[in-house]
Amino acid sequence: MPSAGEFGFLAATLGELLAALPVTLGLFLASIALGGVLAAGLTWVRLRGAPWIARLVRAYVFVFRGSPLLIQMFLVFYGLAQFPAVRHGMLWPVLRNPFACAVIALALCTAAYTAEIFRGALLAVPVQQIEAGRACGMSGWLLLRRIIAPLALRQALPAYSTEIVLMVKSTSLASLVTVWEVTGVALRIISTTYKTLEVFMCAAAIYLLLNFAILRLIAVLEYRLSPQLRAAAPAARRAGAAAP
Amino acid sequence: MLALAGLLPFCAQGQGGRAVIIATEGDYAPWNLTRADGVLDGFEVELVHDLCTRMRLECRLVAQDWNGMIASLQAGKVDVLMDALSITEERRLILAFSRPYARTAATFVALRGSALGRLPLSGRTLSLSRESAPDDPAVQELRAALRGRTIAIQAASIYARFIYLNFGDIATVREYKSSAEHDLDVLAGRADVAFDDATYFKTALANADERELTLSGPLIGGAIWGEGEGFGFRRDDVQLKAAFDAAVAAAIADGTVRRLSEKWLKIDVTPYQLPPAAAVGSGEPAAPRGGAQPAEAPPGDGVSGHAAPGEALPDVLQIFGFGAGGWGRALLLSALMTAVVTAAALGVGAVLGGLIAAARLSGNAALRGAGEIYSTLFRGVPELLVIYLIFFGGSTLVTRVALALGAGTVAGMPSLAAGILAVGVISGAYQAEVYRGGYLAISRGEIEAARSIGMRTAMRLRRIVVPQVLRFALPGLGNVVQLTLKDSALISVTGVAEIMRTTEVGAGSTHRYFLFYLVGGALYLAMTGLSGRAFEHAELRVGRTLRASPGGI
């Protein structure tokens, strides 16, 4: 029987957690943007670059996909700073900042995953379509923009949506490096009040809503990008879904 | 002796012959720590063994991550929490505490030789009775020295409040998740001083990684820190609490607490007076802190010289070796545990994922909806919470049902099974997406062709759909395997000794954080390397049927 006091506690907790939401969103957007750019570069280099560069990229992907983000973040933030050369180097003003460090660690990690997704998507573009494009006289950039990128993007979306949602949740590790986002604040409230399940429920609700909104957005995008798969759908549904 | 008499009714009744289960973190040296051979040790561990002998109780110690401890207590998986818990009124709403068995002082730490390496009042003991005392002359001296600096504290500790109240207006306060991290950030120069428990600092500073740090400023003790550290119980567990209260009183009276405290903490932390009910703000005189002088006062570099750079390598070899005191065996076993958990969870996830993908692609709207809810829910909620719900929520449910049926206490779901189920449920949600993406990548013409030559559903699945889904899903599946491997780290909250948990315990017990994190990372890399190799071979194999890839765009 939850009493008025318990509801008060839940409301206060929710308020405190929501106050940390901008930090979570900031971490997420910055790291997805930085990670996306990095991943595009990595994919390009891996498919087109010299063999030794491609091997380097593979090593990068291996290390960052292969170890837990928690350990990566710990080593980027606390580990790098142990070297005097880093502390006196030009990057220190950036690395000194916990938020920037968290974004870098998150972006490095997501870039490794995203590069794999992009690569898988490129490999799934039917060769026939590329040949058809070539036959029409397209080449290089035009071929990439008109044929390969849209098809690859469509193919990548389910996996990429997974990666994006993962990133939302990965931001929860940033409290390790003193960036107090939603999960960090939740853990802090738990440490003082010991009300584990209640506080976690509030935090979970926030993440769930956030991720639900993101997944909806991607679903709309997926629908828009796949006209060829819609042919069988009834006309009425098509009109309704295209409206938003 | 009156105290001991109070135990008798408890002993007579007992707990139905069941051992009392005591949970501790096992990585907060010197209070509780794990030796390389896996045995728990430390001030609290020795103390509780003594108390259990006194109470003639059969006690069993379990090591568990802090994040799962309170839920474990409430779910009835453990009976006592022992983790240097500071007794506060706010926490009393949730837990019952024994009377304190320790009361410690706090102090600052700074870089040796820096401007703050010798704060005012260094080497002195300061007793404060009010939490907010910016007008106290001693505090004012400290305020002058710390103006404009960055002070690092452990989030949500009793010390955090003190620092905010007295220095929050003149200095930057930065909160860290654990004590180890604020030490490292003082070393890195992002924070100028750290403030924490003096007994913790004395052990931490004695290790090679933190040689550059020094104690600085006064030892601050007194009524501001409340009653001290006590054992935590369920609030309705009155008998057990009474038994511990009496045993702690007896151990304090005969000097056991003092002896163990001096052995482990190098300082006497006995809370001599009975806890005053409301001492805060009463301006009581300095509490006698029985010889609370630090053995290594700030100016002397009394910190025992650990490994010199030249002998660093043998040191590392010893720590990770297989001999006595080496962590090699524990780490190898933990890797095995991670492999077992991951493989089992992937199996659970493959079944669930296949079903969910089929549901999401089916023509039935209800099935599609259910599949979508599953995907959204288990991908959208932080993994830690899913594990909490299945592990702790699940066993609370089992316990309640058992009690309702009059069965008394039951063991609940075993940790390992619950952990595997939780990770598998999450893995299933991700696998479903990968399978669905793979299915959508099959060109429709092929399915239509299969249909037109009269293949039935089962044959179509077997000959056309599944092989192609697997082919298209391979890169994504590789991702999910890595993901599940790393999610398995989260079940460390249930106390299963996999790589992450062993790494953290090792780091906390030896204070060699970088070494252990590097080795932990390397172990994960080795395992993901193996699985990556396997997927690469698989990709090559299925790739034989693909024509020249767009690598030649």
Side-chain angles (χ1 to χ4, degrees), chain B residues 140-345:
Chain B
Q140 285 208 316
E141 250 185 279
L142 288 171
R143 277 170 65 88
L146 291 169
R147 184 173 296 277
R149 304 296 189 147
T150 301
I151 307 176
I153 46 168
Q154 191 189 350
S157 60
I158 46 173
Y159 309 121
R161 231 178 110 75
F162 169 78
I163 291 291
Y164 271 116
L165 285 172
N166 293 294
F167 303 96
D169 55 333
I170 51 122
T172 309
V173 181
R174 194 174 279 174
E175 294 184 56
Y176 293 78
K177 269 178 123 163
S178 79
S179 303
E181 282 137 25
H182 63 47
D183 291 5
L184 296 175
D185 233 14
V186 172
L187 279 171
R190 288 196 192 94
D192 297 301
V193 292
F195 186 74
D196 211 325
D197 187 290
T199 61
Y200 160 78
F201 275 144
K202 282 155 71 69
T203 312
L205 266 49
N207 83 78
D209 287 352
E210 298 186 33
R211 257 176 313 176
E212 297 301 314
L213 294 179
T214 176
L215 297 175
S216 179
L219 270 177
I220 302 176
I224 41 165
W225 305 142
E227 296 173 25
E229 280 87 4
F231 297 101
F233 309 90
R234 278 183 295 277
R235 286 182 69 197
D236 55 6
D237 212 347
V238 185
Q239 278 187 330
L240 195 59
K241 172 184 149 47
F244 268 82
D245 276 346
V248 169
I252 290 175
D254 71 8
T256 305
V257 172
R258 181 192 171 96
R259 181 174 55 81
L260 292 177
S261 154
E262 278 169 352
K263 170 181 172 189
W264 285 101
L265 312 177
K266 314 287 179 238
I267 191 173
D268 179 18
V269 297
T270 311
Y272 284 105
Q273 317 136 297
L274 279 172
V280 177
S282 63
E284 56 162 304
R289 296 207 45 84
Q293 276 307 317
E296 306 103 312
D301 67 346
V303 179
S304 59
H306 221 275
E311 55 188 272
L313 196 60
D315 182 21
V316 171
L317 286 181
Q318 205 194 343
I319 289 182
F320 295 112
F322 291 84
W327 285 80
R329 209 178 103 85
L331 284 165
L332 272 190
L333 283 177
S334 75
L336 198 64
M337 179 59 91
T338 291
V340 168
V341 170
T342 306

Side-chain angles (χ1 to χ4, degrees), chain A residues 1-14 193 195 198 202, chain B residues 93-94:
Chain A
M1 10 142 217
S3 65
E6 278 176 48
F7 279 121
F9 174 76
L10 286 181
T13 301
L14 211 52
T193 63
K195 295 185 179 172
E198 292 93 323
C202 291
Chain B
L93 298 174
I94 304 296

Side-chain angles (χ1 to χ4, degrees), chain A residues 133-195:
Chain A
R134 285 227 172 90
C136 296
M138 291 187 192
S139 66
W141 183 244
L142 190 64
L143 188 67
L144 184 70
R145 190 163 55 85
R146 287 250 181 101
I147 310 290
I148 299 171
L151 284 172
L153 191 60
R154 170 64 194 80
Q155 160 70 14
L157 265 182
Y160 193 56
S161 73
T162 294
E163 178 56 24
I164 282 183
V165 168
L166 274 177
M167 281 313 284
V168 171
K169 293 186 289 175
S170 296
T171 59
S172 67
L173 292 173
S175 53
L176 178 77
V177 299
T178 75
V179 177
W180 290 92
E181 38 58 57
V182 174
T183 303
V185 172
L187 290 172
R188 192 160 63 183
I189 300 174
I190 291 170
S191 298
T192 51
T193 63
Y194 284 5
K195 295 185 179 172

Side-chain angles (χ1 to χ4, degrees), chain B residues 439-514:
Chain B
Y439 181 81
L440 292 178
I442 300 176
S443 83
R444 300 198 128 223
E446 300 208 25
I447 295 175
E448 276 160 20
R451 241 190 219 135
S452 69
I453 59 170
M455 282 194 193
R456 285 165 200 279
T457 314
M459 186 184 264
R460 217 162 57 225
L461 270 181
R462 189 160 54 83
R463 291 239 181 114
I464 310 293
V465 177
V466 172
Q468 298 209 70
V469 166
L470 283 182
R471 186 180 75 187
F472 288 127
L474 263 184
L477 213 53
N479 271 348
V480 174
V481 170
Q482 317 257 20
L483 209 70
T484 304
L485 185 66
K486 291 185 286 165
D487 274 351
S488 72
L490 286 170
I491 71 167
S492 60
V493 298
T494 66
V496 173
E498 40 64 68
I499 297 176
M500 199 66 192
R501 165 95 190 135
T502 308
T503 302
E504 282 172 353
V505 166
S509 296
T510 61
H511 287 282
R512 305 300 295 267
Y513 305 100
F514 294 119

